[in-house]
Amino acid sequence: MRVALFVTCINDALYPRTGQAVVTLLERLGVEVDFPQEQSCCGQPQFNTGYRHATEPLVHRCAAAFEGYDHIVVPSGSCAAMVRENYPRIGAKAAAEGRGQALARAAERLVPRTWELTEFLVDVLGVTDVGAYYPHTVTYHPTCHGLRMLGLDERPRKLLEQVEGLELRELEGAEECCGFGGTFAVKNAAVSSAMGADKVRHIEKTGASSVCTVDNSCLMHIGGTLSRAGSRVRPVHLAEILASTREAPL
């Protein structure tokens, strides 16, 4: 099985430990992981801001970068959803505009092989106990793209529940958006901040020492809000918890 890591922009630039954790985790499970150097942005910021045509070259680049791999693993619900949900729309729009089928074919090659990390673990590898050890109290925030577009459902929770030493605490209003939303946080800063404050208040009420998500973009927003509030709750990506073991604790 040849698997490619699609690390995503925010992880590459700001959270490299998440990408390293994915490699550590998958290799521990016997998966061979490559990192195609040609990969770049999936185009989500451009697409969500209304620049569909500017997104198209990135669809082609993504298809070329990940050609030949059995699976593409993405430690980001939002970027995985961009490929799976929006690439076919971009291809269909281009075809409807009389610009051929190339984008649609690129999407067809990518979509069946692209998996958010927890989907890959549970649905492809068929595992929920990955041999992790994380002796802390944790609350889980299901991010919007993972919850509403990918339908991750209980997959992340099933993985967390099997982590040795971890106590999972329920989060009130868990399915409410944290307020990040990519460019939404820039264009609607006051609303975004208020939503983040609501989310942090619920996180604090759990008494957990860590909050985890499957998206570092949302975790960045939550973490910044926690920091400004003087909270000691630690934001951590799910991949880093799953990569942690007794021999190499996080």
Side-chain angles (χ1 to χ4, degrees):
M1 180 188 295
R2 295 187 69 226
V3 168
L5 169 63
F6 186 6
V7 77
T8 79
C9 298
I10 195 164
N11 289 328
D12 185 46
L14 299 175
Y15 299 99
R17 286 186 58 180
T18 296
Q20 294 166 353
V22 174
V23 174
T24 296
L25 171 63
L26 293 181
E27 288 184 343
R28 192 170 77 224
L29 295 173
V31 177
E32 179 185 347
V33 185
D34 288 344
F35 181 81
Q37 295 290 329
E38 297 79 11
Q39 65 181 278
S40 65
C41 179
C42 67
Q44 183 178 180
Q46 297 90 326
F47 183 76
N48 287 351
T49 312
Y51 296 97
R52 174 168 56 89
H53 289 170
T55 310
E56 293 176 356
L58 296 170
V59 178
H60 286 302
R61 185 183 182 100
C62 187
F66 294 107
E67 195 68 46
Y69 290 96
D70 299 316
H71 301 287
I72 305 157
V73 179
V74 193
S76 165
S78 67
C79 296
M82 176 65 189
V83 174
R84 293 242 298 268
E85 298 294 319
N86 291 326
Y87 277 17
R89 293 189 177 100
I90 292 169
K93 286 278 190 179
E97 292 167 355
R99 294 188 290 114
Q101 298 292 326
L103 281 162
R105 287 195 292 268
E108 288 172 2
R109 297 199 306 274
L110 284 165
V111 168
R113 297 180 293 127
T114 300
W115 303 89
E116 184 275 331
L117 175 63
T118 65
E119 290 181 308
F120 182 74
L121 294 170
V122 176
D123 298 349
V124 179
L125 297 186
V127 298
T128 54
D129 186 346
V130 299
Y133 174 72
Y134 190 76
H136 305 284
T137 52
V138 175
T139 192
Y140 168 67
H141 166 63
T143 61
C144 293
H145 285 86
L147 182 69
R148 296 174 175 87
M149 295 183 75
L150 295 179
L152 296 183
D153 299 321
E154 293 297 306
R155 292 174 182 85
R157 292 180 60 88
K158 287 179 179 178
L159 290 157
L160 287 169
E161 287 166 356
Q162 295 299 318
V163 174
E164 183 184 358
L166 186 148
E167 179 188 337
L168 186 59
R169 297 192 177 176
E170 295 300 321
L171 177 63
E172 181 183 343
E175 296 187 359
E176 295 175 5
C177 178
C178 72
F180 178 64
T183 54
F184 173 84
V186 177
K187 294 180 177 181
N188 302 276
V191 178
S192 173
S193 296
M195 295 171 72
D198 286 344
K199 180 62 64 175
V200 162
R201 185 170 64 254
H202 292 319
I203 290 169
E204 289 277 14
K205 283 174 64 177
T206 68
S209 62
S210 300
V211 55
C212 83
T213 73
V214 298
D215 275 284
N216 269 332
S217 52
C218 299
L219 205 62
M220 176 178 65
H221 182 64
I222 292 170
T225 308
L226 285 166
S227 177
R228 287 189 294 275
S231 175
R232 301 183 70 176
V233 178
R234 180 185 189 185
V236 58
H237 192 285
L238 180 62
E240 295 175 53
I241 291 176
L242 298 181
S244 179
T245 61
R246 284 185 176 273
E247 294 73 26
L250 178 66

